């Protein structure tokens, strides 16, 4: 039977995996079904080598934030419920609050434009700097909405996306270095996959999608 080696830098995800594993006792002398690695995707080659494994048959990468993180207000990933402005997947290093409260206005604008594709990034960055210090997701969302002239939707049918979504995505990606991690993880997967192995990547927005498609195109070209 297959053994799954699961990687996640989110300590809550690792804890959930350990709980799942305990409810499914292993058969004596059989290989484990699940091995948890509290590490990043980019570290999979080194981590698997430490486990005595040089090649694997398949790699699945589920990119970005999880619904579990979005649902936990205390993690600060979303503005549906007010919580501390955190957004760190690993709960280590500078938080989103550290970034918006200390970064230069131009740097904030660049992050919003590059990672959130926010066309009015300079206006939003200017409003963020003027409103500092910001400590909660609700505070940041209100500043972004006001800067973009957002009004609550009162019509019929589906409401348009909240404009704060783009800024939250951008700051989260920056705080966690998500796109750099994705690129490094893809190259690590290529090194780890054995002959005939399969790579599957679940991406959720155009920035991730471009990186994955470019990698696959270039990787295919080197083998043709």
């Amino acid at each position: 039977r297959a053994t799954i080696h699961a990687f996640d830098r989110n300590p809550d995800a690792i804890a959930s995996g350990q709980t799942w594993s305990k409810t499914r006792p292993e058969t004596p002398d059989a290989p484990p079904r699940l091995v948890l690695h509290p590490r990043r995707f980019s570290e999979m080659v080194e981590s698997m080598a430490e486990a005595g494994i040089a090649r694997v048959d398949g790699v699945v990468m589920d990119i970005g934030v999880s619904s579990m993180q979005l649902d936990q207000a205390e993690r600060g990933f979303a503005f549906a419920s007010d919580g501390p402005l955190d957004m760190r997947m690993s709960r280590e290093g500078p938080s989103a609050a550290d970034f918006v409260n200390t970064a230069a206005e131009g740097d904030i604008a660049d992050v919003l434009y590059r990672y959130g594709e926010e066309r009015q990034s300079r206006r939003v960055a200017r409003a963020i700097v003027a409103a500092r210090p910001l400590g909660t997701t609700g505070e940041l969302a209100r500043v972004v909405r006001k800067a973009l002239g957002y009004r609550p939707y009162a019509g019929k049918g589906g409401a348009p996306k909240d404009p704060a979504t783009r800024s939250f995505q951008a700051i989260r990606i920056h705080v966690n270095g998500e796109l750099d991690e994705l690129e490094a993880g893809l190259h690590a997967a290529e090194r780890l996959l054995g002959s005939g192995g399969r790579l599957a990547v679940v991406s959720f927005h155009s920035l991730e999608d471009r990186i994955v498609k470019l990698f696959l195109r270039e990787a295919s070209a080197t083998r043709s």
Side-chain angles (χ1 to χ4, degrees), residues 102-122:
T102 63
E105 182 179 316
D107 292 339
I108 295 175
D110 288 345
V111 165
L112 299 181
Y113 183 80
R114 184 180 304 121
Y115 299 139
E117 300 180 296
E118 174 54 71
R119 296 179 180 179
Q120 300 187 66
S121 60
R122 296 194 182 280

Side-chain angles (χ1 to χ4, degrees), residues 59-70:
V59 174
V60 177
M61 298 174 62
D62 190 353
I63 306 303
V65 69
S66 70
S67 58
M68 177 180 68
Q69 291 167 328
L70 292 173

Side-chain angles (χ1 to χ4, degrees), residues 40-191:
R40 300 167 180 258
F41 287 148
S42 59
E43 299 173 325
M44 67 175 77
V45 174
E46 296 81 2
S47 190
M48 294 297 282
E50 292 169 6
I53 299 172
R55 292 287 184 270
V56 298
D57 296 320
V59 174
V60 177
M61 298 174 62
D62 190 353
I63 306 303
V65 69
S66 70
S67 58
M68 177 180 68
Q69 291 167 328
L70 292 173
D71 292 341
Q72 296 174 335
E74 67 274 14
R75 299 298 304 273
F77 282 98
F79 48 80
S81 299
D82 200 15
L85 196 53
D86 194 320
M87 300 192 194
R88 296 170 298 174
M89 291 183 178
S90 64
R91 298 196 174 186
E92 297 177 347
S95 67
D98 294 327
F99 172 67
V100 300
N101 288 322
T102 63
E105 182 179 316
D107 292 339
I108 295 175
D110 288 345
V111 165
L112 299 181
Y113 183 80
R114 184 180 304 121
Y115 299 139
E117 300 180 296
E118 174 54 71
R119 296 179 180 179
Q120 300 187 66
S121 60
R122 296 194 182 280
R123 176 184 295 182
V124 176
R126 187 161 52 248
I128 288 174
V129 170
R132 295 196 298 208
L134 297 168
T136 70
T137 56
E139 290 173 352
L140 176 59
R142 286 190 290 272
V143 168
V144 175
R145 291 173 186 141
K146 184 176 180 180
L148 297 176
Y150 173 73
R151 296 290 182 273
Y153 181 70
K156 296 181 179 180
K161 181 184 293 186
D162 192 311
T165 302
R166 294 189 296 272
S167 293
F168 269 69
Q169 171 185 297
I171 294 169
R172 189 203 80 224
I173 289 175
H174 172 73
V175 166
N176 294 289
E178 291 180 34
L179 300 188
D180 290 338
E181 179 65 20
L182 172 56
E183 290 188 23
L186 290 169
H187 288 286
E190 183 181 25
R191 291 170 55 196

